[in-house]
Amino acid sequence: MRIDPRAARVIAWLLLAAVVFVTLSPIGLRPMTSAPPNVERFVAFAVVGFGFALSYPRHLVWVLVLIAGAAVGLELLQMLAATRHARALDVGFKILGGVIGVGIGAAVTSSWVRRG
């Protein structure tokens, strides 16, 4: 199964935009799940990392830079929001999730190339 790269890119950027919105919006607008917040952070960035790895399989280093930069940048921007807080531990969960998501996405695209 192959994915249209243009569609994958649109989806990846929309996922990142959703994470930006949820991260920087007032806490009352944040979707609630029963998962602990660090699990939510990890999964959100894993999904974004996976989407970008599928979208840009030949640029994984830049994808990792984007994911890490987004995690750090969003955490710093939370310092400007009255209802949010920034913590180094949160950045760690976001980056770890993003790296694992990119790794899984890279493995998936690699298996497509081998089969192809």
Side-chain angles (χ1 to χ4, degrees):
M1 177 178 121
R2 299 235 173 176
I3 259 184
D4 176 19
R6 292 172 296 190
R9 288 180 183 132
V10 168
I11 292 168
W13 285 104
L14 287 173
L15 287 169
L16 181 59
V19 168
V20 168
F21 175 78
V22 169
T23 302
L24 298 179
S25 65
I27 198 74
L29 296 178
R30 183 178 169 267
M32 301 300 291
T33 71
S34 60
N38 285 331
V39 172
E40 292 175 348
R41 292 177 185 104
F42 177 90
V43 170
F45 272 79
V47 170
V48 170
F50 179 80
F52 275 95
L54 292 181
S55 301
Y56 302 97
R58 295 182 182 166
H59 304 283
L60 295 178
V61 170
W62 288 112
V63 168
L64 290 169
V65 169
L66 172 72
I67 296 297
V72 171
L74 287 172
E75 210 61 32
L76 291 173
L77 286 170
Q78 281 188 345
M79 294 185 341
L80 302 174
T83 62
R84 303 314 280 268
H85 59 275
R87 294 188 316 202
L89 182 64
D90 297 352
V91 171
F93 277 98
K94 291 173 181 178
I95 291 174
L96 181 62
V99 168
I100 289 175
V102 169
I104 294 169
V108 167
T109 57
S110 175
S111 73
W112 288 344
V113 169
R114 282 191 304 256
R115 288 183 196 176

